[in-house]
Amino acid sequence: MSEVKRNLQDVESQIENVCVNSGRNKDEVKLLAVTKTVDNDKMLEAFEYGIRDFGENKPQELTRKYEEFGELAEKINWHLIGTLQTNKVKYIIDKVYLIHSLDRISLCEEIQHQAKKVDKTIDCLVQVNISREETKHGVFVEDIESFIRKISEEYDSIRVKGLMSMAPFTDDEEGIRKVFKGVKDIATKIDNLNLKNVSMDILSIGMSNDFEIAIEEGSTLVRVGTAIFGKRNNY
Ligand SMILES: *Cc1c(COP(=O)(O)O)cnc(C)c1O
């Protein structure tokens, strides 16, 4: 068995174990394979293994791979997980399954504009910046509710499906856990508002180093790259 497939088995069994130990059903947690900088052969191994959700953080790379995959591309759910510049929206609008990085009104404006052209409704997650690190994008906690209300009222081509967040760069497990708990709290609060076109079905939290903590805190989608495909050298 290839290394990628072995790694996938390991990650899946880790996910299953945490689910069992924290009283969750493993079907509640989706594994998103993060494939930035990963070559197509390795992606195909993951596809053969059964993975159908791939995450890219650059629109150009997503578009290129989508085209290189030909007919297979249609069988894959392509997630855009990185910062999205407004001028790149048009390249991915007809390919993307879920945008994880909705974080400003100008981006909503452009997504709405492009979505109308292709007659699509675009599923998005609002990215939350809990740790307030300057390197992180995302909406600050105090602005989340008004941001989501505005989307619900003014952008009918955008469907908010949940929240995405990244843990702080730290080994401090409690610090990471606190961030994830914070995301879950916001989701609960937003869900209770019952806004049109807004649900909190997806909590995209957890990466290679912290997905177990994230699952314990309610993650429904973990974004895992390194633990599946190995270390990236140029990122
Ligand atoms: C690269 C990346 C990941 C995956 O990180 P790993 O540590 O390799 O698992 C997850 N989310 C985002 C937004 C990323 O850019």
Side-chain angles (χ1 to χ4, degrees):
M1 185 183 278
S2 76
E3 198 178 330
V4 166
K5 291 181 186 171
R6 249 192 343 256
N7 290 343
L8 278 164
Q9 268 186 348
D10 287 345
V11 170
E12 281 189 341
S13 75
Q14 282 170 282
I15 291 173
E16 219 173 306
N17 283 337
V18 200
C19 284
V20 168
N21 293 333
S22 51
R24 300 189 58 195
N25 185 328
K26 72 171 168 46
D27 299 332
E28 293 169 20
V29 182
K30 186 185 263 189
L31 172 59
L32 171 63
V34 174
T35 49
K36 62 190 185 206
T37 78
V38 172
D39 62 42
N40 295 2
D41 290 345
K42 282 190 170 177
M43 288 176 67
L44 277 170
E45 287 174 22
F47 184 88
E48 271 174 30
Y49 180 87
I51 297 295
R52 291 295 176 271
D53 291 85
F54 290 113
E56 290 290 340
N57 72 337
K58 291 191 171 152
Q60 301 94 309
E61 195 171 342
L62 190 156
T63 307
R64 172 174 63 76
K65 287 175 175 171
Y66 189 98
E67 268 143 33
E68 289 169 355
F69 269 72
E71 277 177 18
L72 271 192
E74 314 253 318
K75 301 202 167 93
I76 292 170
N77 298 328
W78 297 90
H79 297 243
L80 196 280
I81 61 175
T83 313
L84 181 53
Q85 288 173 287
T86 44
N87 63 354
K88 301 283 161 54
V89 173
K90 57 178 177 287
Y91 301 119
I92 59 158
I93 199 79
D94 55 342
K95 305 176 181 69
V96 76
Y97 172 77
L98 182 67
I99 296 173
H100 290 231
S101 48
L102 194 61
D103 63 352
R104 58 198 191 280
I105 289 300
S106 59
L107 182 56
C108 300
E109 199 70 53
E110 179 64 10
I111 291 173
Q112 170 95 358
H113 176 64
Q114 298 295 340
K116 293 276 182 214
K117 285 195 195 168
V118 293
D119 196 23
K120 263 186 87 174
T121 303
I122 307 298
D123 288 337
C124 296
L125 305 179
V126 172
Q127 184 171 351
V128 187
N129 184 347
I130 296 228
S131 56
R132 301 185 98 90
E133 284 175 43
E134 282 186 19
T135 51
K136 293 223 172 7
H137 296 267
V139 183
F140 287 140
V141 175
E142 62 271 26
D143 300 324
I144 293 280
E145 183 177 327
S146 62
F147 182 65
I148 293 181
R149 276 187 190 279
K150 191 172 167 74
I151 298 170
S152 172
E153 286 160 14
E154 298 181 25
Y155 300 97
D156 61 355
S157 300
I158 296 176
R159 202 158 37 207
V160 175
K161 302 283 285 182
L163 305 176
M164 181 272 232
S165 195
M166 290 167 84
F169 292 114
T170 167
D171 292 331
D172 165 30
E173 194 183 308
E174 282 319 302
I176 293 172
R177 192 179 295 281
K178 226 171 102 186
V179 166
F180 291 155
K181 269 189 207 301
V183 180
K184 174 75 186 177
D185 287 346
I186 298 167
T188 305
K189 195 174 129 210
I190 300 291
D191 213 17
N192 286 333
L193 301 173
N194 288 315
L195 301 172
K196 178 171 65 104
N197 271 340
V198 175
S199 72
M200 287 289 128
D201 296 340
I202 302 175
L203 275 194
S204 170
I205 48 176
M207 314 192 343
S208 291
N209 287 327
D210 53 27
F211 69 83
E212 288 165 305
I213 306 172
I215 292 169
E216 287 168 358
E217 299 306 331
S219 173
T220 71
L221 189 161
V222 291
R223 309 180 308 268
V224 181
T226 311
I228 298 171
F229 299 107
K231 235 174 137 66
R232 295 174 293 270
N233 23 26
N234 51 351
Y235 240 88

